[in-house]
């Protein structure tokens, strides 16, 4: 299957630890997006890439967050010194810049204790 | 921040009935999309309507868009238990840009 995949699907960590999530987009898609969703809310935009270039970052993306897409394929989202408020579902999506539909992965659910 | 609000926040109907939910947004848009999310899972794209379109159909789904009122509606006809999910509208200001989501409508279809 060539859908968007995310790993891990679940992550439990202790406050202060670093965590890294991976997203593999649909192979021919050059745009990749990260969103965060807390319980009962809609997803909120974090950042997006076109190929390797990070084109936009939300103000939600504090200095503790960093995202990369080094070869224009998969992307990683790292959270340093996690806080309980970082507990959320982290969603990745990809699209072909010629299209407008974003295709979402299953998400990574993070719980910070 | 959320682009707009969805109404109602929750909806409970019997199988076979129609479900209607509304979405309002605040700024000008390029297009509006509707997504479905089953509990704790990723989002599934349902339908996209462009800012110059007024109505669109896909199977049992009908979407309307009123740019003068900055609002959209999603109608699911002849609902099924499998339609139980949260439904989100999302807008973008330009093709390929970030999506801004509403808060969602939680739909429960009782068999």
């Amino acid at each position: 299957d060539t859908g968007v995949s995310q790993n891990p699907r679940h992550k439990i960590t202790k406050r202060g630890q670093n965590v890294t999530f991976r997203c593999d987009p649909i192979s021919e898609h050059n745009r990749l997006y990260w969103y965060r969703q807390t319980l009962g809310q809609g997803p909120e935009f974090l950042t997006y890439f076109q190929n390797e270039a990070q084109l936009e970052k939300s103000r939600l993306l504090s200095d503790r967050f960093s995202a990369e897409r080094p070869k224009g394929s998969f992307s990683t989202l790292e959270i340093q010194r996690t806080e309980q408020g970082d507990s959320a579902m982290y969603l990745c999506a990809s699209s072909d810049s010629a299209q407008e539909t974003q295709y979402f992965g299953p998400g990574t659910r993070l719980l910070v204790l | 921040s959320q682009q707009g609000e969805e109404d109602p926040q929750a909806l409970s109907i019997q199988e076979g009935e129609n479900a209607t939910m509304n979405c309002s947004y605040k700024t000008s848009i390029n297009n509006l999309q509707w997504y479905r999310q089953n509990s704790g899972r990723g989002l599934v794209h349902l339908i996209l309507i462009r800012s110059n379109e007024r109505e669109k159909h896909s199977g049992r789904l009908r979407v309307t868009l009123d740019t003068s009122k900055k609002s959209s509606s999603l109608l699911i006809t002849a609902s099924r238990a499998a339609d139980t999910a949260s439904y989100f509208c999302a807008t973008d200001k330009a093709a390929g840009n970030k999506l801004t989501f509403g808060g969602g409508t939680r739909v429960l279809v009782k068999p």
Side-chain angles (χ1 to χ4, degrees):
Chain A
D1 180 76
T2 57
V4 178
S5 62
Q6 292 186 245
N7 288 288
R9 293 290 308 278
H10 303 273
K11 179 71 177 179
I12 300 174
T13 190
K14 293 182 179 178
R15 190 174 54 185
Q17 297 295 304
N18 299 345
V19 294
T20 301
F21 309 140
R22 176 176 171 131
C23 171
D24 287 87
I26 293 172
S27 58
E28 62 269 24
H29 285 183
N30 57 4
R31 292 202 173 197
L32 186 149
Y33 309 79
W34 286 98
Y35 295 84
R36 182 173 71 184
Q37 184 179 26
T38 53
L39 201 61
Q41 302 295 315
E44 293 181 293
F45 170 77
L46 292 178
T47 188
Y48 87 95
F49 295 83
Q50 177 161 310
N51 301 314
E52 303 89 354
Q54 189 172 19
L55 296 187
E56 187 174 349
K57 292 196 299 185
S58 163
R59 284 171 290 180
L60 291 175
L61 217 63
S62 75
D63 290 346
R64 297 185 297 105
F65 287 71
S66 63
E68 294 184 342
R69 195 183 182 197
K71 297 182 180 179
S73 56
F74 73 91
S75 174
T76 58
L77 177 68
E78 182 183 16
I79 309 173
Q80 295 182 330
R81 305 181 302 283
T82 53
E83 302 173 355
Q84 288 182 325
D86 297 331
S87 294
M89 173 82 90
Y90 290 83
L91 294 162
C92 175
S94 70
S95 74
D96 180 329
S97 56
Q99 301 177 356
E100 291 155 306
T101 299
Q102 293 183 21
Y103 295 89
F104 282 79
T108 294
R109 186 173 295 281
L110 173 67
L111 177 60
V112 181
L113 301 176
Chain B
S1 62
Q2 303 286 310
Q3 161 73 298
E5 298 297 325
E6 283 166 89
D7 171 51
Q9 291 187 337
L11 180 61
S12 180
I13 56 174
Q14 292 293 136
E15 204 165 25
E17 293 180 340
N18 296 342
T20 300
M21 59 210 85
N22 304 295
C23 164
S24 62
Y25 57 91
K26 297 174 183 172
T27 62
S28 61
I29 63 171
N30 173 58
N31 66 49
L32 185 144
Q33 305 181 48
W34 285 90
Y35 285 83
R36 184 185 73 221
Q37 184 177 40
N38 291 94
S39 179
R41 305 184 71 173
L43 284 86
V44 174
H45 182 261
L46 295 177
I47 195 165
L48 179 152
I49 185 165
R50 302 186 189 287
S51 59
N52 62 354
E53 297 176 315
R54 292 297 168 258
E55 187 170 314
K56 204 159 184 182
H57 297 255
S58 177
R60 295 184 294 112
L61 305 180
R62 182 173 79 97
V63 169
T64 63
L65 179 64
D66 187 334
T67 53
S68 67
K69 295 181 179 178
K70 292 186 169 59
S71 67
S72 174
S73 68
L74 170 67
L75 167 68
I76 305 172
T77 59
S79 63
R80 304 167 181 168
D83 294 328
T84 293
S86 291
Y87 292 81
F88 294 93
C89 67
T91 59
D92 69 25
K93 293 186 179 181
N97 279 14
K98 65 185 180 187
L99 292 176
T100 304
F101 285 83
T105 294
R106 290 178 297 284
V107 175
L108 172 64
V109 181
K110 294 179 283 187

